[in-house]
Amino acid sequence: MASSWSYVILKRQTSQLINSSRSLPPATSRHDVFISHRGVDTRNTVAGLLYDRFLHLGMRPFLVRRSMVEEEEEEKLKKSIKAAVADCKVSVAVFSPKYCESYPCLRELAMMVEAKKRLIPIFCDFKPSALRLSEEQRKVYSQEEVERFERALQEELLGIGVKNRRNRGQEHKKSQSGP
């Protein structure tokens, strides 16, 4: 379950989104909120509940599989996701233990960060400091993809005030060794 801190932040951000959308001209986009999540971890829990809550509040959320008319082929699905990220006013990333293991999740996160959308992170049974690529992924993905995903992960960590673990360890060693 998401921490109460994440819930409070999400509730505040959702209220701000609703209030700001009331003063805007009628929506021209198909989606207000894009929800990125790892299906096996959160589809039937946090992500599904968020989707239902946003609908109840009169918003138009996008959640893969619930927002699809039918099972779409992969290329069509990628285009739908790309359009939803571009259309949305805000994105929610539900980070879970298997989120970073998923190429599609990393691609969605990179798209959200690159689109400069407001991004609300929710950490579900997952610590922000664990948000990183594995050594296996670094070997499998192209160098360009690794750099893109690392940039998105680092930007997200910096956005919530978490320093890179490696830097923190180096700072700790410097402080112990003296000036």
Side-chain angles (χ1 to χ4, degrees), residues 34 62 64 77-86 108 111:
F34 181 85
F62 182 93
V64 174
L77 178 62
K78 285 180 187 177
K79 287 178 183 177
S80 295
I81 290 170
K82 190 173 183 174
V85 169
E108 290 169 8
M111 283 191 285

Side-chain angles (χ1 to χ4, degrees), residues 46-137:
V46 177
L49 291 170
L50 283 170
Y51 179 87
D52 292 340
R53 183 66 178 152
F54 286 135
L55 278 178
H56 177 75
L57 293 170
M59 300 169 75
R60 294 163 304 182
F62 182 93
L63 181 67
V64 174
R65 297 295 179 237
R66 286 212 187 170
S67 299
M68 304 285 109
V69 176
E70 57 190 50
E71 291 292 320
E72 297 186 22
E73 59 196 55
E74 190 173 342
E75 281 307 309
K76 203 170 181 182
L77 178 62
K78 285 180 187 177
K79 287 178 183 177
S80 295
I81 290 170
K82 190 173 183 174
V85 169
D87 274 356
C88 74
K89 297 172 187 166
V90 67
S91 298
V92 175
V94 182
F95 294 113
S96 59
K98 295 183 189 257
Y99 186 92
C100 286
E101 293 174 13
S102 166
Y103 181 84
C105 288
L106 292 169
R107 189 179 59 233
E108 290 169 8
L109 179 63
M111 283 191 285
M112 292 183 294
V113 168
E114 291 163 358
K116 306 272 190 241
K117 301 290 181 174
R118 179 188 294 172
L119 187 95
I120 301 169
I122 296 176
F123 292 89
C124 185
D125 298 326
F126 191 69
K127 293 180 182 179
S129 59
L131 196 60
R132 62 180 172 264
L133 296 178
S134 70
E135 289 305 316
E136 176 73 21
Q137 289 168 307

